[in-house]
Amino acid sequence: MSSIKNFFELPKDKHIAETEHFFLIRDGFPVSPGHTLIISKTLRVDYFELTTDEKADLDNAISLARSLVEAEFSPDGYNIGMNCGESAGQTVFHFHCHLIPRYIGDMENPRGGVRHVIPSKGSY
């Protein structure tokens, strides 16, 4: 388990951008260059606790995060992911969405993408 209980514990100078309902930071343990977290300004445990307005603004936040990544890096693709619940790998129970830039050659065979969260289930 992470020692962080929620992302409000992080210093504000880690914020790289914000929308009405979300702030963005670079992931502290990035999977790839540019890995960005989109975090709710109001404490929500996961995606399913977001309000309708927050869910609508999430699209804006994802687009903003992508534009920031594109300005600094040159990814070839993206994975967008959310862990909802401890059994899904969530360790910080404060809503956050991962925007993970992907690069040609970052893994031997990316086919299956997010299906690889359970080893041996991603190949089909």
Side-chain angles (χ1 to χ4, degrees):
M1 270 275 193
S2 171
S3 61
I4 294 177
K5 291 186 172 114
N6 67 62
F7 289 107
F8 299 139
E9 296 176 24
L10 298 174
K12 294 229 185 231
D13 66 356
K14 297 280 186 194
H15 296 196
I16 59 171
E18 67 179 83
T19 65
E20 182 179 357
H21 296 287
F22 300 94
F23 62 93
L24 284 60
I25 65 170
R26 293 285 190 232
D27 192 284
F29 303 94
V31 171
S32 67
H35 183 165
T36 302
L37 296 182
I38 301 157
I39 302 164
S40 59
K41 289 181 177 178
T42 300
L43 186 59
R44 307 278 186 233
V45 170
D46 62 27
Y47 175 81
F48 299 107
E49 285 195 358
L50 296 177
T51 67
T52 302
D53 287 344
E54 289 166 336
K55 287 177 181 176
D57 190 41
L58 182 56
D59 189 53
N60 297 327
I62 291 169
S63 294
L64 175 58
R66 179 179 182 261
S67 70
L68 294 172
V69 169
E70 296 280 330
E72 191 173 346
F73 304 93
S74 297
D76 301 298
Y78 291 91
N79 289 112
I80 300 169
M82 299 170 232
N83 301 321
C84 300
E86 189 171 354
S87 64
Q90 187 174 5
T91 57
V92 178
F93 294 89
H94 180 168
F95 172 80
H96 57 290
C97 174
H98 295 260
L99 180 71
I100 303 174
R102 298 298 304 274
Y103 301 88
I104 292 173
D106 64 5
M107 67 182 297
E108 187 176 325
N109 181 4
R111 182 182 169 121
V114 297
R115 296 173 56 88
H116 287 285
V117 297
I118 299 177
S120 81
K121 298 287 186 178
S123 299
Y124 55 95

